[in-house]
Amino acid sequence: MHKTEQRDDMIIEWDVPIPMEDGIVLRADVYRPIGPGRYPVLMSHGPYAKGLPMQTGYAPVWRQLTRDHPDAVAESTNKYQSFEVADPECWVPYGYICIRVDSRGSGRSQGYLDCLSARETKDYYNCIEWAAVQSWSSGKIGLTGISYYAVNQWQVAALKPPHLHAICPFEGFADLYRDTVRHGGILCSFMLRWYPIQVESIQHGAGDRAPINPNTGDSIAGPETEAPEVLKGRRADLTQQQVENVYATDSYYLERTPVLEDIEVPMLSRGNWGGLANHLRGNIEAFVRSGSKKKWLEMHNFEHWTEFYTTGGRALMRRFFDHFLKDEDNGWDREPPLMLNLRRPDGFIQRTEHEWPLARTDWTRSFLDAASLSLGSQSAAPAKAAFHALSHGVTFWGPEQEQEGEITGPVSATLFVSSSTVNADVFLTLRAFGPNGREVLFAGATDPNNPVSFGWLRASRRKLDLARSLPYRPWHVHDEDQLLLPGDVYELDIEIWPTSIILPRGYRLALTVAGQDFDHRLPEPLPSMWGTPMHGCSIHLHDVDSDRPADVFGGMTTIHTGGEFPSSVLLPVIPNHNL
């Protein structure tokens, strides 16, 4: 299997064996400069099959990238482009070695497939240390990649591999439970859809049923073709794992969620304001909570993968890695910690900052008034608004802005809620509207029509960890269900994911309180993904019937406002934002 060749101004080793201590052998492709010497390494490790061309496995992504961002593919033959990992033709000429490893049980690597498990993370640690002692390696290892390849950077960095020198996680989740699988305790079906399409289909042993790597002529999923029932026994049942493990304290989630405070390596965390329900919260939490003394946060826009491949996006990462892997004095260490692309209805502006949340934030509380369905600066007289608990709910409208204003930072809401049943799911959507009444929708990571931000909470999961909670970011324990007494009023503190928006004069904010996922109600046909039309939430839907039975979650939900029930939303207003 292992073979070496020289092509396209690189030495390429295919299927290099990396033995694990339990006897399992992982396989890696190594792309390195032709010239003699020792070079720093950029590594990725994951289940998407290192030999699967983006053009084949992710053709719609490839078409959009090449159409809308031609610079992203202009400096390469693109023969070695694989989904969400570095293109070696854009890194090897600059004196880097690129290594792609198929994780255990995926692609060309043998073993039992169990995504993001402790075993998989230990394998990654072993691969880093293996690469550090090879004859062509400088001993300095950096990690980069998108999504899955970002998530496991935080996991392995928390284990402190001795030769890991820098990481650049691009749009990932850091807390499997809170960021992706169970928003506010409510099961999201995203990974249940993702697993069979992007992982099971290229499991090691799929052989002839999997695509061919055009660069080698070999199957991307191993030389043998095993029966589907055999492969089923060699992988974890992810649906069962996520449906049956309902609390954040379950071992399934604890094993897969790193202690961010244990990360000490230099980090450039790159997040997307449009990564709602998957790739946004994690990049910010990791930046804030990591133990690294050398860390930066860059927040951008556009599609999930775009700024990883664009000329400017690569240049940013190269400066970071040149500094920490090559010891170049290129000024990176003097860069402000935050590099923000701030959203406007008509585009973006760039600004650097020094802390998160911004120190000059004017934390502004807007109170809900159920009588007028408005948001105001004062708590009004007592009132209440009821809606069917599995409906699109009610919307509270803020006043038109008298002058341009900015909201950048974490958001939270305090709602007083009663239910006609023993439980209720609350879906919050922070929205913006223009003077013409048309909603401002942004191109998100995977949905082209995102609102400003989302928040979620299952009422029975309202218990807070007071030591970890902050006024602008409540922290729910998610270790038990505290059911409701029908008709009684309960205080719910709800995290709304961080956001950034600059609204011109005449625009207004709104908060929708609902019992189901947001729907922008734009005319069809709508863009779709995996056969699912996207209504503003992409494919991050909370639509698993067994998790939300109608007899429990299908009653009436009532929002209480004013008087002893001052329901409100806390907004991070940035004064003098244009200075």
Side-chain angles (χ1 to χ4, degrees):
M1 296 173 67
H2 179 200
K3 55 186 177 183
T4 303
E5 60 180 324
Q6 182 173 319
R7 58 157 76 176
D8 296 311
D9 298 319
M10 297 182 289
I11 295 174
I12 306 176
E13 295 188 70
W14 307 106
D15 283 334
V16 179
I18 306 179
M20 300 294 106
E21 77 280 2
D22 62 352
I24 291 294
V25 175
L26 306 187
R27 297 283 174 174
D29 291 341
V30 179
Y31 304 81
R32 49 193 177 91
I34 293 175
R38 295 176 178 268
Y39 301 92
V41 170
L42 288 184
M43 180 178 283
S44 58
H45 172 275
Y48 291 168
K50 58 185 174 58
L52 177 61
M54 191 190 303
Q55 300 92 317
T56 301
Y58 301 88
V61 173
W62 180 254
R63 288 194 297 269
Q64 185 175 18
L65 185 67
T66 54
R67 180 194 69 215
D68 298 343
H69 306 279
D71 65 306
V73 298
E75 298 178 20
S76 171
T77 69
N78 300 299
K79 295 178 185 176
Y80 313 101
Q81 283 274 19
S82 289
F83 189 55
E84 300 191 332
V85 294
D87 178 0
E89 288 187 282
C90 294
W91 288 91
V92 172
Y94 293 90
Y96 286 92
I97 295 169
C98 287
I99 300 179
R100 299 171 177 169
V101 186
D102 280 339
S103 56
R104 182 177 294 237
S106 71
R108 304 283 292 183
S109 293
Q110 60 185 222
Y112 185 80
L113 176 60
D114 190 5
C115 286
L116 302 172
S117 63
R119 176 67 260 183
E120 190 177 275
T121 305
K122 182 61 164 63
D123 288 346
Y124 203 174
Y125 180 110
N126 293 341
C127 290
I128 291 168
E129 293 307 299
W130 170 86
V133 298
Q134 301 306 303
S135 60
W136 31 255
S137 172
S138 70
K140 292 189 174 184
I141 314 300
L143 309 179
T144 189
I146 306 172
S147 190
Y148 199 104
Y149 299 102
V151 175
N152 60 16
Q153 290 180 56
W154 289 313
Q155 288 182 304
V156 73
L159 299 183
K160 299 182 175 67
H163 290 92
L164 181 60
H165 279 67
I167 62 173
C168 182
F170 187 102
E171 296 191 31
F173 54 82
D175 185 323
L176 180 63
Y177 188 96
R178 293 172 177 82
D179 293 354
T180 294
V181 177
R182 288 185 173 268
H183 304 114
I186 309 167
L187 180 61
C188 177
S189 60
F190 163 69
M191 292 191 79
L192 311 185
R193 291 183 170 97
W194 159 85
Y195 191 59
I197 293 172
Q198 289 190 214
V199 179
E200 283 184 12
S201 63
I202 49 178
Q203 182 182 355
H204 181 73
D208 294 343
R209 294 191 299 275
I212 298 297
N213 182 343
N215 295 306
T216 64
D218 298 325
S219 167
I220 64 169
E224 295 86 18
T225 303
E226 303 280 6
E229 56 269 22
V230 172
L231 296 187
K232 185 176 181 180
R234 293 181 186 167
R235 66 174 181 259
D237 185 337
L238 182 136
T239 296
Q240 181 182 42
Q241 289 174 323
Q242 298 192 352
V243 170
E244 294 185 358
N245 289 280
V246 299
Y247 298 124
T249 51
D250 291 342
S251 61
Y252 173 74
Y253 299 107
L254 294 178
E255 176 183 336
R256 290 163 172 78
T257 298
V259 178
L260 296 173
E261 291 78 4
D262 288 346
I263 297 174
E264 297 177 351
V265 69
M267 175 178 65
L268 170 58
S269 180
R270 302 190 66 192
N272 189 329
W273 297 121
L276 295 175
N278 203 17
H279 299 317
L280 164 57
R281 181 184 188 274
N283 283 92
I284 292 176
E285 281 286 313
F287 169 76
V288 172
R289 291 172 46 204
S290 78
S292 176
K293 293 182 174 60
K294 299 176 180 178
K295 55 184 179 180
W296 289 262
L297 173 67
E298 184 264 347
M299 295 297 298
H300 53 260
N301 307 281
F302 299 121
E303 305 81 11
H304 176 38
W305 49 84
T306 299
E307 291 289 10
F308 185 83
Y309 293 106
T310 59
T311 302
R314 288 199 309 269
L316 184 72
M317 289 189 291
R318 192 174 299 127
R319 282 190 63 217
F320 170 74
F321 284 122
D322 283 350
H323 183 73
F324 289 108
L325 301 186
K326 293 184 175 182
D327 298 319
E328 290 189 7
D329 184 10
N330 57 11
W332 180 269
D333 55 327
R334 297 182 290 279
E335 287 286 352
L338 272 65
M339 308 168 191
L340 305 180
N341 289 275
L342 308 173
R343 300 186 297 185
R344 299 177 55 94
D346 57 354
F348 315 101
I349 62 172
Q350 294 182 334
R351 193 175 71 217
T352 59
E353 296 286 351
H354 292 273
E355 68 287 306
W356 184 273
L358 308 190
R360 66 184 185 282
T361 301
D362 179 10
W363 296 103
T364 303
R365 196 167 290 279
S366 291
F367 293 90
L368 283 65
D369 182 358
S372 59
L373 294 182
S374 64
L375 295 171
S377 59
Q378 301 285 331
S379 183
K384 54 187 177 180
F387 60 89
H388 290 286
L390 294 177
S391 77
H392 292 295
V394 294
T395 297
F396 296 84
W397 296 86
E400 290 188 358
Q401 299 229 158
E402 297 180 358
Q403 58 186 7
E404 183 175 90
E406 176 185 341
I407 293 172
T408 294
V411 183
S412 68
T414 299
L415 300 185
F416 293 87
V417 174
S418 62
S419 172
S420 64
T421 71
V422 297
N423 216 335
D425 285 344
V426 178
F427 293 71
L428 299 184
T429 304
L430 188 63
R431 308 167 72 178
F433 291 82
N436 57 4
R438 182 174 299 172
E439 185 163 12
V440 178
L441 296 170
F442 296 93
T446 51
D447 193 311
N449 296 294
N450 273 161
V452 178
S453 194
F454 292 136
W456 312 260
L457 186 64
R458 177 157 289 172
S460 62
R461 305 288 180 83
R462 63 192 177 278
K463 186 172 71 172
L464 294 172
D465 182 336
L466 297 180
R468 302 187 72 173
S469 290
L470 299 165
Y472 51 79
R473 195 231 43 208
W475 188 276
H476 297 92
V477 182
H478 294 299
D479 64 350
E480 64 174 338
D481 281 285
Q482 298 178 337
L483 297 179
L484 313 180
L485 289 174
D488 282 6
V489 180
Y490 295 86
E491 180 177 349
L492 308 183
D493 295 291
I494 305 174
E495 176 183 10
I496 299 175
W497 279 21
T499 192
S500 177
I501 182 171
I502 297 173
L503 289 181
R505 182 176 180 272
Y507 282 67
R508 65 199 306 201
L509 283 175
L511 180 71
T512 294
V513 184
Q516 67 179 66
D517 287 308
F518 171 75
D519 186 345
H520 50 47
R521 304 188 190 186
L522 294 177
E524 297 185 355
L526 296 169
S528 65
M529 185 173 180
W530 300 341
T532 301
M534 292 188 283
H535 292 265
C537 301
S538 183
I539 47 174
H540 305 291
L541 303 173
H542 304 82
D543 56 358
V544 179
D545 291 339
S546 62
D547 185 63
R548 307 184 68 214
D551 61 331
V552 176
F553 295 96
M556 294 293 294
T557 300
T558 301
I559 307 299
H560 300 259
T561 67
E564 63 179 314
F565 303 125
S567 294
S568 63
V569 58
L570 184 65
L571 298 170
V573 175
I574 307 303
N576 302 319
H577 69 276
N578 55 350
L579 297 181

